Amino acid sequence: MSTPSVPNASRVLPSALMEECVGQRIWVLMKGRKEMAATLRGFDMYVNMVLEDVDEFDTDAQGKVTQTHLDKILLNGNNVTFIIPGERPPDGATT
């Protein structure tokens, strides 16, 4: 999937960018060591999100990554630090 095109990113509100991402894959970085790659189905003003086809990545203190697949979740926005349009890069890739 391609990243949504944003004509003039400096004038786009966060909610407008999130709205463009509905139905697209996003990469979510959480507080702590969790990341999620998923399809965004919906969100609210608190950045609570409904995600489908979720791949959750949990990194332990030694750097070992555990991956879990979930069909659908409701993610509480309180623990979200970044939301990046597009897919999670492969392990070892420079972001």
Side-chain angles (χ1 to χ4, degrees):
M1 301 235 153
S2 63
T3 304
S5 61
V6 181
N8 190 347
S10 64
R11 295 184 184 175
V12 175
L13 295 174
S15 59
L17 180 57
M18 287 285 292
E19 188 66 40
E20 271 199 44
C21 290
V22 172
Q24 303 291 320
R25 296 289 288 177
I26 60 171
W27 178 28
V28 181
L29 280 65
M30 308 289 294
K31 292 179 184 174
R33 298 180 176 168
K34 285 193 180 188
E35 300 177 17
M36 295 184 189
T39 301
L40 177 63
R41 289 296 169 209
F43 67 96
D44 67 11
M45 63 189 276
Y46 302 105
V47 194
N48 298 315
M49 294 178 276
V50 176
L51 302 174
E52 285 185 343
D53 190 24
V54 181
D55 290 313
E56 179 183 55
F57 302 90
D58 195 1
T59 307
D60 65 15
Q62 289 75 36
K64 180 182 176 202
V65 178
T66 304
Q67 182 176 348
T68 306
H69 181 80
L70 305 163
D71 292 330
K72 185 184 275 190
I73 65 169
L74 173 60
L75 181 66
N76 185 317
N78 286 337
N79 295 313
V80 173
T81 57
F82 286 99
I83 302 168
I84 304 162
E87 192 63 66
R88 178 182 189 266
D91 288 341
T94 306
T95 56

